[in-house]
Amino acid sequence: GAPVTIHAATLTAELTNSGVTKEYDGTTAPVGFTPEWSYVGLVSGDTVTLGNTGVTYDDQDVGQASKVTVSGLTLTGVTGSHDSAASDYELSVGSAWTTASITAKTVSLSATKTYDGTKDLSGDVTIATGVTGETLGYTGATASDGHVVTADKYISGITLQDNGGVLASNYALPTLNKDGAPVTIHAATLTAELTNS
């Protein structure tokens, strides 16, 4: 004789994360990212739990990635002082993305060669990217000194190069010093042959 109809309130969720960034790792996964939300239409005393089907960068590369997007947003639970339930709200997504960036990953450098009287390190440098399956090329590699006896030698010049689909722009050089880019030069083998006749 006195029916009451209560319609679900519209709950608008807005992603509030800012300053989102990560070091390049070859993926679009936002490492360490936890979505944070603000709400319009939430009844005082209620707490909302949201679920999602994925969180991704729009690109994996440094300089190309510009945002992180949360997809498949759902209202998975509501608690509060009103015996509230998820059915009390109808979810509306206002904004589910935020600006983001990816910074270059610093490679590890070292070089080993046999003494040849030059500082040239062509073919002698080892570059470790730290990303599985990714290797880089290089040009212009030189040592600070070309002698075996000189202590604390290091790679004093080098330019990283793309290698197939691996972009050098996703990587950065370490500090070029004895700690960041050490060089080892081994003594050359000198064979003497007596030629008197």
Side-chain angles (χ1 to χ4, degrees), residues 120-132:
D120 181 60
L121 293 174
S122 298
D124 302 313
V125 176
T126 298
I127 303 173
T129 65
V131 176
T132 301

Side-chain angles (χ1 to χ4, degrees), residues 4-5 16 21 26 40 49 62 78 86 96 115 125 127 132 134 143 151 168 177:
V4 173
T5 300
T16 60
T21 189
V40 175
T49 302
V62 174
V78 176
Y115 173 76
V125 176
I127 303 173
T132 301
E134 295 204 357
N177 59 21

Side-chain angles (χ1 to χ4, degrees), residues 22 27 33 52 60 64-65 72 77 92 142 147 168 171 184 188 190 192:
K22 73 166 184 174
T27 75
F33 176 82
N52 64 76
Q60 72 173 22
Q64 299 300 316
S92 172
T142 56
H147 299 284
Y171 294 93
T184 300
L190 181 65

Side-chain angles (χ1 to χ4, degrees), residues 22-31 55-62 65 68 101-102 131-132 134 170-171:
K22 73 166 184 174
E23 184 180 81
Y24 175 77
D25 63 3
T27 75
T28 56
V31 179
V55 185
T56 59
Y57 272 88
D58 57 337
D59 197 282
Q60 72 173 22
D61 295 319
V62 174
V68 163
S101 63
I102 296 176
V131 176
T132 301
E134 295 204 357
N170 286 326
Y171 294 93

